[in-house]
Amino acid sequence: MGPPGRFGPGGPRPQGGPGGPGGRPGGPAKRGKRNFVRKKKVCRFCVDKSDYIDYKRAEILAPFLQERGKILPRRMTGTCSRHQRWLTVAIKRAQNIALLPFAAEL
């Protein structure tokens, strides 16, 4: 045991933590609660087995842009790191030749 007075005036904490014996903060464990299982996002380009993302096909690149013209991150689209890099290059090339907008009209 540690030095006296380490746990405050009431002595050591009771078992179970802040929520009591249920183990969860805020009270005992909930019964009948459904567990949400998130579906794994898969890379669209890996599924199609594409080894090149064509910057001239704006209809393929458009869903990966926000309304403001920003490129959506991997965590939102589910693309793998390799295809995200290729996608970024393709979007920037398409923007430079005016196939895709740099930003939305304000």
Side-chain angles (χ1 to χ4, degrees):
M1 212 160 139
R6 179 174 167 197
F7 296 107
R13 286 174 126 182
Q15 292 292 75
R24 296 175 56 113
K30 307 267 191 251
R31 296 183 196 267
K33 185 178 180 186
R34 293 185 183 189
N35 292 333
F36 177 72
V37 178
R38 186 177 301 274
K39 185 181 170 210
K40 176 109 170 68
K41 293 179 183 173
V42 293
C43 178
R44 202 165 99 179
F45 302 105
C46 286
V47 170
D48 297 339
K49 293 184 172 64
S50 63
D51 54 347
Y52 177 70
I53 299 175
D54 191 11
Y55 66 93
K56 291 171 268 188
R57 299 180 63 189
E59 67 275 0
I60 289 178
L61 303 177
F64 295 96
L65 284 174
Q66 293 178 351
E67 299 86 28
R68 303 283 303 217
K70 289 183 168 185
I71 300 172
L72 287 171
R74 284 182 53 207
R75 67 178 178 270
M76 293 179 70
T77 60
T79 56
C80 65
S81 58
R82 172 188 288 175
H83 287 117
Q84 181 72 20
R85 286 192 298 269
W86 294 355
L87 184 68
T88 302
V89 171
I91 287 173
K92 289 180 180 181
R93 285 179 180 168
Q95 286 174 336
N96 278 329
I97 62 171
L99 294 177
L100 291 174
F102 277 103
E105 289 81 23
L106 295 176

